[in-house]
Amino acid sequence: MARRVLDEPGEDVVAVAKLERQARRGPFARIALFLRQVVAELRKVVTPTWRELVTYTAVVLGFVVVMMAVVYVLDLGFGALVVWVFAGTS
């Protein structure tokens, strides 16, 4: 059984959009179509479980801490390099 890709718009949404485009409706009809499509896309959203949320948060915070450490080490290195280069010119 093939799995349906959730990122692709549904056939019904595309068909409705084509029909609406052909009808050349007014601005309110286009706004209503947009809102219907937004609701259709929001129904595809899957909320994470509590465990997934905690895991994703821990991964993001761990990555941020690692990147902060990398930037800190680079800052110390470049600072020491600048002091070494310009310390003898006084």
Side-chain angles (χ1 to χ4, degrees):
M1 180 171 160
R3 189 174 140 173
R4 185 174 153 199
V5 178
L6 294 179
D7 291 338
E8 295 179 2
E11 295 83 17
D12 56 336
V13 175
V14 173
V16 170
K18 286 181 181 179
L19 289 175
E20 290 289 331
R21 192 177 315 121
Q22 290 173 356
R24 296 288 183 201
R25 305 263 168 141
F28 293 112
R30 286 183 286 185
I31 292 172
L33 172 65
F34 173 75
L35 292 176
R36 283 195 305 270
Q37 289 175 344
V38 167
V39 169
E41 289 297 320
L42 286 175
R43 290 179 193 218
K44 297 178 186 178
V45 174
V46 178
T47 56
T49 63
W50 182 254
R51 185 180 187 114
E52 290 172 336
L53 182 66
V54 170
T55 302
Y56 297 157
T57 303
V59 168
V60 169
L61 290 177
F63 179 76
V64 168
V65 168
V66 167
M67 292 308 296
M68 286 173 51
V70 168
V71 170
Y72 177 72
V73 168
L74 287 174
D75 183 48
L76 284 178
F78 286 130
L81 181 66
V82 167
V83 168
W84 178 74
V85 168
F86 293 110
T89 61
S90 56

